[in-house]
Amino acid sequence: MTPALHPVASAHGKIILLGEHAVVHGEPALAAGLPDGITLTARDRDRKSDPILVSIPDWELELELLPDSEHPVARACLEVLAHCDGPLTGWIIEGRSRLPARAGLGSSAALSVALARLVLGPDAPLPEVVDASMAGERVFHGNPSGIDSEVSARGGVLQYARGHDVEAVHTDMRLALVVAPSGVPRSTAEQVAKVAAKLERFPALAGPVVRTLGQTAAEGRTALERGDPVRLGELMTFAHALLRAIDVSSPVLDRLCDAALQAGALGAKLTGAGHGGCVIALVRTENAAHVRRALGDAAFDVTIDAFPRPPKSSC
Ligand code: PMV
């Protein structure tokens, strides 16, 4: 008998709020979970010996998980299922997502986290879910840092630095953001290599920029903890200028940031590797629709409930 799947599971997408690229060089970064990243539902296939069929129309993805498939999504899904001793045949898995795929919003981690939860169930411990997701993420990213899987499984805002445990950022602040996909594809590896080349060519110039980018993440955490959206917005705009200085922005991303700021956003920056992918704008809730309209049809707004502070003890 093939093992069963739970009927439904979901996971967050992710954005990098501050610190991308700097995190590659040992600095901290802040990442946040995007609610409603993906929801998967599972039902029996007529013949239990048929391969699992995965269908996610929003990503124009429909494929059977054949053991010899070279498709990275099929291979990643099979890795996750094998890692959790899940079924390898006999199911139809359908997905709904409002995230664009391959735009730096953590779509692959969201898929692998939700798939792990279909096998392990809604109450599975987070570390187990993250481990299973990492088995899939290794297919896409070789040696992933794990931040995408963590944030996809947990949501909220997390601080991440190489060689340190992931830390949840506690705040009462609700983050109102507009996410604007540029529609331009990006290659994380290319942009990371570009920054490495800048650091090698201009160590005295690019080094301080990268360290200052890390500092924006550290100060952004403090702004979040103090519940200061104005300061967080300023830090985001500051970070975009620094990312531009190390040449990972582009005219399209710069234009989107300018349009967001002109429409009254508190701050705006590229998120993730840059060159393509998305821009994020921090907004006041009452202004979110206005900023979204300024950023074009593909833009969407999200509200992120960060982790509340632990209650103060009464004694
Ligand atoms: O666009 P993404 O989600 O691949 O983000 C890449 C973030 C970088 O800091 C540029 C690279 C990394 O591995 O942290």
Side-chain angles (χ1 to χ4, degrees), residues 14 16 20-21 23-24 104 186 188 192 272-273:
K14 79 107 206 320
I16 298 183
E20 53 273 270
H21 287 289
V23 71
V24 175
R186 87 220 189 289
T188 301
V192 167

Side-chain angles (χ1 to χ4, degrees), residues 14 16 19-24 29 103-106 141 143-145 147-148 160 162 186-189 191-192 271-274 277:
K14 79 107 206 320
I16 298 183
E20 53 273 270
H21 287 289
V23 71
V24 175
L105 298 180
H141 305 298
N143 185 19
S145 66
I147 184 71
D148 283 23
Y160 174 77
R162 277 204 165 154
R186 87 220 189 289
S187 155
T188 301
Q191 299 310 307
V192 167
T271 183

